[in-house]
């Protein structure tokens, strides 16, 4: 039985190892797609609308950075600026830790086509690419997790089977002691039911 369970464990490992390799290949392919799809304002309208939805819901901007939109930042990239504080130095880029997410200041001169009243633009500093990657790799990670769980249970079953099979070798049989009429102690193994 232990040998059969070990064969099952090996089969699980054979199935799981390509999944790990597929996940690594998928990550590199997604990075390449992110590189080829920029600038984002030139992509298809459907891709732009879905990315804008993701940017609005997850407080992120662009695939790798906000610069993926070039000089046409959508409104979903804009972030609420942090409240002014007296200890900020000129030229520094403060971060906002409000519910809108972390923000960073970009120069208005580089983004003239973005509608905004002030001289400075605040955009989400976190890119959306890692969020998309996590959504795409979730099914593979789930399969790897399930297989790893079964493999762990299989290893525990092998250890338990071996422990139960070898129990009779390390366990000393119970001994029954009796004293006879001459005050001698007799040791006899107890009868077992097996």
């Amino acid at each position: 039985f232990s040998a059969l369970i070990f064969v099952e464990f090996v089969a699980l490992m054979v199935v799981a190892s390509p999944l790990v390799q597929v996940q690594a290949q998928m990550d590199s392919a997604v990075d390449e797609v992110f590189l080829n799809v920029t600038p984002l304002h030139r992509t298809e309208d459907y891709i732009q609308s879905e990315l804008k939805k993701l940017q609005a819901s997850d407080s992120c901007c662009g695939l790798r950075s906000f610069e993926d939109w070039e000089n046409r930042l959508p409104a979903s990239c804009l972030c609420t600026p942090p409240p002014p504080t007296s200890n900020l130095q000129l030229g520094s880029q403060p971060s906002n830790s409000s519910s809108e997410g972390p923000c960073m200041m970009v120069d208005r001169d580089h983004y003239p086509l973005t509608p905004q009243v002030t001289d400075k633009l605040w955009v989400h500093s976190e890119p959306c690419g890692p969020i998309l990657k996590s959504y795409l790799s979730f099914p593979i990670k789930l399969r790897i997790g399930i297989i790893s769980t079964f493999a762990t249970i299989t290893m525990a079953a092998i250890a338990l089977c071996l422990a139960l099979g070898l129990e009779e070798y390390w366990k000393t049989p119970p001994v029954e002691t009796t004293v006879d009429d001459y005050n001698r102690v007799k040791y006899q193994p107890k009868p077992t039911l097996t």
Side-chain angles (χ1 to χ4, degrees), residues 89-139:
Q89 307 236 346
L90 291 176
S92 65
Q93 292 187 354
S95 64
N96 180 16
S97 57
S98 69
S99 62
E100 293 286 318
C103 297
M104 60 190 253
M105 190 183 332
V106 295
D107 193 11
R108 175 87 172 138
D109 297 337
H110 294 102
Y111 300 96
L113 300 177
T114 303
Q116 186 78 0
V117 179
T118 63
D119 290 339
K120 298 290 182 186
L121 288 176
W122 291 90
V123 296
H124 297 292
S125 60
E126 184 177 337
C128 297
I131 297 169
L132 279 173
K133 275 190 204 177
S134 68
Y135 289 153
L136 292 173
S137 65
F138 177 73

Side-chain angles (χ1 to χ4, degrees), residues 59-71:
S59 300
C60 58
C61 185
L63 293 174
R64 294 171 295 144
S65 75
F66 66 92
E67 294 170 345
D68 290 343
W69 287 100
E70 286 187 345
N71 61 354

Side-chain angles (χ1 to χ4, degrees), residues 2 13 51 61 79 104 112 114 120 143 161 163 167 173 175 185 190:
S2 296
M13 290 298 105
L51 187 57
C61 185
C79 188
M104 60 190 253
T114 303
K120 298 290 182 186
R143 289 182 181 118
C161 287
E167 180 184 19
V175 177
V185 179
K190 281 187 180 177

